C-alpha cells in the first residue's frame, strides 16, 4: 500500500481539523468529504483536494477508499462506523466511542467481523476489532501524557498514591449538538472521557465511581467531580467543567503523586478552545529525592492530532492492530463516564463490571 486513502464523514470542526492534518501527511490522501451541509462539504473538499458528497454509500462503494474517519456527533457513531466496517473499511472514530455500552459492543462486534472477513483470525474479539477500529482518544498521543505513561511503566513513581486530573472550559459554542444529550451524552461523557481514559491507562481496571457536581435547574451537569477506585487500590479524582465564565481559557492539568516521585503538567490554551493559538503550557515536571527533572526536551510539542493520524495510518499500512485508542480502552472510559452519570443521578457510588 502506497498511501492510505481516506473518506471523512462529517464536515464540522473535527472533520475540518482532521482533513487539514491529513492533507499535510505524505502517506495519506483525502479522497472524500461526506456531510449534510453541501456548502461546507464542497469548500472543505476543495481545500484538501478531495471530492464532496452528501451520500455515505458513495464513499463506501469507492474501492480506492482504505479508511473512514468518523467525525459526526457521538449519537451517530455506531451507525456510521458499522456501515463503514461492513464495507471493509478501517475506521478511526472520534471519541467517545458511543453513548451506550451496547452501542460500543455492536461496533466492536462489527470490527471483529470485518477483521475475520479480511483473513485475520488470531486473538479474541477485542484484539480482532483493534485491527479495524480505533477510537480517537488523542491524549494518548499528547507528548506530556505519553511521558507520564512512560514514567509510570519505568517505576518512577514507585506506585501511584494519588492521581488528579482536571479539564475546565466554557460551554462549547462550535456545534449546536453538544446541548442535545441524545447526541453528546453531556459534559461528563463528551469532555471528561478524555481524563477517564488517562486514569485507566495509568491505574488499570476501574471498579467503583462516585460523582458529585453542579447543574442549572433546567439543564444537565456542568461542573462535576468524579472519584474512581481501581482494582489495584489506586484512586483518581477527575474534575470537568463546562461552567467556566466566557473569559476563562480552556485549561487542563494532571498531577501524579507516588511513593518515590511526583509529576505535574498544566495546559492553558490561548482562548476557549484547546486548539486556540498562543497556548501557555507549563512543562511536564518530575520531582523525586534527586531533585527536579524536565523529562521532555523543548520543541517536541508536535500536533497530537497529526501524531494520532500518523499512528493509525501506520497500523493500516502494516495491517496490524492498534494498541492505543483500542475499542476496549474506549469502552472502559465510556463505562466510567456512564457510571459517573448514574452516580450523579442517584447520589450513590456505582460499581463497574465490564463484560467482553
Amino acid at each position: 500500500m502506497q498511501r492510505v486513502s481516506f473518506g471523512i464523514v462529517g464536515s464540522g470542526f473535527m472533520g475540518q481539523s482532521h482533513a487539514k492534518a491529513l492533507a499535510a501527511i505524505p502517506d495519506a490522501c483525502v479522497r472524500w468529504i461526506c456531510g449534510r451541509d453541501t456548502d461546507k462539504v464542497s469548500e472543505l473538499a476543495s481545500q484538501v483536494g478531495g471530492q464532496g458528497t452528501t451520500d455515505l454509500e458513495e464513499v463506501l462503494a469507492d474501492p480506492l477508499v482504505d479508511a473512514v474517519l468518523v467525525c459526526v456527533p457521538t449519537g451517530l457513531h455506531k451507525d456510521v462506523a458499522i456501515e463503514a466496517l461492513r464495507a471493509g473499511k478501517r475506521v478511526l472514530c472520534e471519541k467517545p466511542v458511543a453513548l451506550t455500552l451496547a452501542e460500543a459492543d455492536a461496533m466492536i462486534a462489527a470490527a471483529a467481523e470485518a477483521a475475520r472477513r479480511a483473513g485475520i483470525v488470531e486473538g479474541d474479539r477485542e484484539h480482532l476489532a483493534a485491527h479495524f477500529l480505533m477510537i480517537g482518544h488523542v491524549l494518548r498521543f499528547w507528548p506530556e501524557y505519553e511521558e507520564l505513561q512512560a514514567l509510570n511503566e519505568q517505576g518512577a513513581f514507585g506506585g501511584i498514591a494519588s492521581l488528579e486530573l482536571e479539564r475546565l472550559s466554557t460551554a462549547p459554542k462550535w456545534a449546536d449538538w453538544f446541548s442535545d444529550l441524545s447526541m453528546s451524552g453531556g459534559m461528563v461523557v463528551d469532555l471528561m472521557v478524555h481524563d477517564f481514559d488517562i486514569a485507566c491507562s495509568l491505574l488499570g481496571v476501574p471498579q467503583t465511581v462516585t460523582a458529585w457536581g453542579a447543574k442549572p435547574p433546567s439543564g444537565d451537569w456542568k461542573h462535576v467531580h468524579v472519584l474512581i477506585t481501581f482494582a489495584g487500590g489506586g484512586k483518581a479524582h477527575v474534575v470537568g467543567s463546562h461552567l467556566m465564565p466566557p473569559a476563562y481559557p480552556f485549561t487542563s492539568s494532571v498531577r501524579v503523586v507516588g511513593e518515590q516521585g511526583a509529576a505535574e503538567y498544566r495546559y492553558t490554551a490561548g482562548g476557549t478552545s484547546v486548539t486556540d493559538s498562543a497556548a501557555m503550557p507549563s512543562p511536564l515536571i518530575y520531582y523525586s529525592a534527586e531533585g527536579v527533572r524536565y523529562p521532555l526536551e523543548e520543541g517536541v510539542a508536535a500536533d497530537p492530532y497529526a501524531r494520532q493520524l500518523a499512528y493509525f495510518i501506520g497500523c493500516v499500512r502494516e495491517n496490524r492492530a492498534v494498541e492505543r485508542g483500542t475499542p476496549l480502552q474506549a469502552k472502559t472510559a465510556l463505562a466510567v463516564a456512564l457510571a459517573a452519570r448514574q452516580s450523579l443521578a442517584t447520589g450513590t457510588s456505582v460499581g463497574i463490571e465490564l463484560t467482553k
Side-chain angles (χ1 to χ4, degrees):
M1 183 182 294
Q2 296 299 313
R3 293 200 298 172
V4 176
S5 178
F6 279 84
I8 299 179
V9 185
S11 57
F13 178 78
M14 287 312 304
Q16 294 170 24
S17 299
H18 284 309
K20 292 168 184 177
L22 279 172
I25 297 176
D27 292 339
C29 69
V30 178
R31 185 162 175 82
W32 291 97
I33 301 292
C34 178
R36 293 177 298 181
D37 187 320
T38 54
D39 291 336
K40 273 187 178 181
V41 167
S42 298
E43 182 180 357
L44 183 57
S46 66
Q47 289 175 4
V48 297
Q51 304 173 75
T53 184
T54 59
D55 184 0
L56 177 58
E57 290 185 8
E58 188 173 10
V59 177
L60 301 182
D62 186 344
L64 297 181
V65 170
D66 303 302
V68 169
L69 237 170
V70 178
C71 302
V72 296
T74 308
L76 304 176
H77 282 184
K78 176 183 75 73
D79 290 344
V80 174
I82 288 177
E83 268 198 75
L85 291 163
R86 287 175 177 168
K89 313 300 184 185
R90 260 73 170 186
V91 172
L92 171 55
C93 179
E94 260 302 325
K95 65 83 216 158
V97 55
L99 292 181
T100 69
L101 296 183
E103 290 178 349
D105 280 331
M107 292 168 68
I108 291 171
E113 181 57 32
R116 293 187 190 98
R117 289 199 307 269
I120 302 167
V121 296
E122 295 181 2
D124 60 14
R125 187 186 73 155
E126 278 64 29
H127 181 72
L128 286 171
H131 283 83
F132 265 75
L133 178 62
M134 176 176 169
I135 309 302
H137 277 285
V138 72
L139 288 190
R140 289 178 177 262
F141 298 88
W142 208 282
E144 289 79 6
Y145 290 89
E146 284 181 310
E147 187 62 26
L148 279 176
Q149 185 68 44
L151 287 169
N152 189 41
E153 291 172 358
Q154 294 161 13
F157 301 117
I160 295 176
S162 174
L163 175 61
E164 303 162 45
L165 302 114
E166 187 177 63
R167 194 158 300 268
L168 310 176
S169 171
T170 62
K173 297 291 195 297
W174 47 271
D176 293 339
W177 59 268
F178 279 114
S179 60
D180 182 352
L181 287 180
S182 69
M183 285 288 111
S184 71
M187 185 275 298
V188 174
V189 172
D190 186 79
L191 182 73
M192 297 184 75
V193 75
H194 280 295
D195 296 299
F196 297 152
D197 180 54
I198 292 300
C200 293
S201 76
L202 291 169
L203 290 174
V205 180
Q207 283 194 325
T208 62
V209 172
T210 307
W212 63 99
K215 67 174 182 176
S218 60
D220 192 44
W221 298 96
K222 298 296 185 184
H223 191 97
V224 172
H225 295 253
V226 177
L227 179 65
I228 312 166
T229 301
F230 291 82
K235 289 182 171 62
H237 178 205
V238 183
V239 181
S241 184
H242 274 167
L243 195 59
M244 308 309 291
Y248 194 92
F250 178 91
T251 301
S252 64
S253 66
V254 56
R255 180 183 299 111
V256 182
V257 179
E259 298 165 359
Q260 297 178 14
E264 191 170 48
Y265 170 64
R266 186 175 183 84
Y267 176 90
T268 303
T272 57
S273 171
V274 66
T275 58
D276 282 345
S277 58
M280 299 170 284
S282 300
L284 174 65
I285 306 174
Y286 171 69
Y287 304 88
S288 70
E290 285 72 41
V292 178
R293 181 158 63 90
Y294 299 87
L296 293 175
E297 298 178 6
E298 290 187 19
V300 302
D303 177 11
Y305 293 96
R307 299 177 74 235
Q308 176 182 252
L309 287 168
Y311 174 82
F312 177 70
I313 289 165
C315 291
V316 172
R317 294 182 72 184
E318 297 167 18
N319 198 31
R320 57 185 168 88
V322 300
E323 296 179 355
R324 288 189 277 177
T326 71
L328 181 57
Q329 291 165 354
K331 178 185 170 183
T332 302
L334 175 63
V336 174
L338 296 176
R341 286 195 62 89
Q342 184 179 348
S343 178
L344 287 165
T346 62
T348 62
S349 296
V350 175
I352 295 176
E353 290 186 16
L354 283 170
T355 57
K356 290 190 176 182

